[in-house]
Amino acid sequence: MKDLFEKFLDEKFANISGDYLELVSGDIHRAVGGYPSNNHRMPICCKVMRAYMKGDDLVISEPPKKQGATLAIRYYKRNR
């Protein structure tokens, strides 16, 4: 599942049209599939999102336990 989240993010980064891209974990997981369900992989999704952070990227919002459907990150445009 990790590779599906990475592929999704890679595709999003390849098509950034503005100065930044804001992504929400719940939206990513829904697009990739398997969410919502009892067998979701939200912790993996959130770990991949955080691993893709660099430099000035910002966590816009996060759930109390740091992993959940409301994790939102702003990624600034740069060469990946």
Side-chain angles (χ1 to χ4, degrees), residues 5-13 23 28 48 52:
F5 293 126
E6 290 172 340
K7 181 179 177 185
F8 181 89
L9 289 175
D10 289 341
E11 289 172 2
K12 288 292 185 181
F13 290 130
L23 298 172
I28 293 170
V48 169
Y52 270 60

Side-chain angles (χ1 to χ4, degrees), residues 12-79:
K12 288 292 185 181
F13 290 130
N15 296 307
I16 292 178
S17 60
D19 293 331
Y20 62 86
L21 176 65
E22 284 186 7
L23 298 172
V24 178
S25 57
D27 296 338
I28 293 170
H29 204 327
R30 280 183 197 90
V32 170
Y35 184 80
S37 77
N38 291 337
N39 194 26
H40 66 81
R41 298 291 183 254
M42 189 59 70
I44 295 171
C45 179
C46 293
K47 285 180 185 178
V48 169
M49 288 178 68
R50 289 181 188 278
Y52 270 60
M53 291 181 72
K54 297 190 191 254
D56 294 334
D57 294 346
L58 299 170
V59 174
I60 303 299
S61 66
E62 64 187 358
K65 293 184 178 180
K66 311 289 186 200
Q67 296 179 351
T70 59
L71 174 64
I73 297 177
R74 177 180 290 174
Y75 300 93
Y76 287 94
K77 189 173 186 175
R78 62 186 172 273
N79 294 332

